[in-house]
Amino acid sequence: MPTVPLYYEGVGRVKGRAEFVRPVTTGKDGSDPAVLAAVAEAARAGAAVALLPTTSTTASGYPSYDGLVGYNSDPDVEKTGVPTLLVPGRVADRIQQYGADVDFTARTVPARSYCLTGWFGTRKPISDPIVVTTPLSGWFTCAAERGTGIALALALAAELSREHPVFFLGNTGHELNNYGVRAYLADEFELQPRAVFHLGSALAAAAAGPDGRFALVPRGAASNPGFDAVPGLAADLASARFNRAAKFPGEGAVWNTVLGPSAPLLSLAGNFREFHTPDDLPRVTTSPDMLEQAYNAVRAAANDLISAT
């Protein structure tokens, strides 16, 4: 049976019958109350291991996903110590009927991961570049989750560098409460950017309709200054189904906290039915046409923000 651990929740060796099994339905990709409550219950019960058949409803308005789902984890948050395995929600009834045996071995190994940086349009660093940033790591093949954002970020950096030097920042550790960008901004970043464009998850994620044709799924967007102060921004983003978000999404929230509201910032991110799953494959979740539609909107929105500030 396919499984993925809830990282950092528990280590050691467990072999035997899984006595604690709790089906959960999640609506978030991390810190979901349903998942946290199930693991806390396992700890109170003294369980040696927790087995969670998981169904994802992260993508609002789309059918739930009952396959294997990866789940973000903050290593700095206090854990229960109970080894926890996520399995597809569709096997919940089978496990309840027949039970499940677990052979679990895990340990935490200190290591490093590195952010990727580069300059477009100049070989000499300047103090006020345009910054284009995107996460580099993700779950499974992460075609639409990460691949589309990376593609659009590189294209945008190259195009904007024709008018102004661009600093490109690719981050790892997005799955660990945005650890990479938080560490980089705290320890390394000394620029005063002309503007920052955070191109996060699902930038060109799409779903096939009844006729088999792809259409972009809704994603979120937030900006400084706000949409109402940037002519054309809302309309250009809406052309690729980027809607106003109530708060800065993903790593955009980290940038907003560090730079403050006076720094021009556009942050884009979203999710989709196959988000954080093995089914996030190019043929399933995106296409060249979707990439082009999303890029045209992102490029126009970037120009809107630059022109307004």
Side-chain angles (χ1 to χ4, degrees):
M1 175 186 310
T3 63
V4 63
L6 186 57
Y7 282 92
Y8 299 97
E9 197 61 48
V11 297
R13 177 71 187 274
V14 179
K15 186 174 183 179
R17 203 68 166 170
E19 301 296 337
F20 185 91
V21 179
R22 289 292 183 277
V24 295
T25 299
T26 70
K28 298 181 179 180
D29 59 11
S31 301
D32 190 292
V35 174
L36 298 179
V39 180
E41 183 183 351
R44 290 192 298 270
V49 63
L51 196 60
L52 309 183
T54 305
T55 299
S56 173
T57 59
T58 301
S60 177
Y62 291 84
S64 60
Y65 183 90
D66 62 359
L68 189 63
V69 178
Y71 199 75
N72 292 346
S73 180
D74 185 347
D76 295 330
V77 172
E78 185 177 356
K79 307 298 182 183
T80 64
V82 178
T84 302
L85 289 172
L86 308 176
V87 298
R90 60 174 172 260
V91 303
D93 291 343
R94 194 188 318 165
I95 293 175
Q96 297 286 12
Q97 183 176 359
Y98 299 107
D101 293 322
V102 172
D103 189 349
F104 176 94
T105 303
R107 61 193 178 102
T108 300
V109 180
R112 290 179 179 269
S113 63
Y114 296 90
C115 293
L116 174 67
T117 62
W119 288 89
F120 287 69
T122 182
R123 294 184 178 182
K124 180 180 179 181
I126 65 170
S127 62
D128 64 338
I130 292 172
V131 173
V132 176
T133 180
T134 189
L136 300 178
S137 55
W139 289 95
F140 307 103
T141 55
C142 55
E145 178 194 353
R146 284 282 84 85
T148 61
I150 293 171
L152 268 61
L154 291 172
L156 183 66
E159 182 155 342
L160 294 180
S161 70
R162 298 173 184 172
E163 302 293 335
H164 194 82
V166 171
F167 178 73
F168 178 87
L169 173 64
N171 307 296
T172 53
H174 170 77
E175 306 78 21
L176 309 179
N177 193 30
N178 302 315
Y179 200 91
V181 71
R182 289 192 291 117
Y184 186 84
L185 291 180
D187 299 337
E188 300 288 338
F189 193 74
E190 297 179 346
L191 303 174
Q192 299 294 322
R194 168 73 180 80
V196 175
F197 298 101
H198 162 246
L199 307 189
S201 59
L203 266 287
D211 60 357
R213 298 180 62 183
F214 272 133
L216 291 169
V217 302
R219 287 93 72 228
S223 70
N224 282 332
F227 276 40
D228 294 337
V230 182
L233 181 63
D236 284 330
L237 289 174
S239 69
R241 301 198 74 184
F242 289 105
N243 305 317
R244 298 192 196 196
K247 59 182 179 179
F248 280 92
E251 294 176 320
V254 182
W255 283 96
N256 184 51
T257 298
V258 171
L259 297 180
S262 62
L265 168 63
L266 177 63
S267 177
L268 308 171
N271 54 49
F272 50 101
R273 182 176 182 269
E274 295 81 11
F275 192 61
H276 286 195
T277 78
D279 287 321
D280 184 7
L281 304 168
R283 60 180 172 78
V284 176
T285 57
T286 192
S287 73
D289 288 344
M290 298 298 95
L291 281 164
E292 183 176 9
Q293 182 181 348
Y295 180 67
N296 289 338
V298 170
R299 178 185 58 193
N303 288 331
D304 292 335
L305 187 68
I306 292 170
S307 296
T309 57

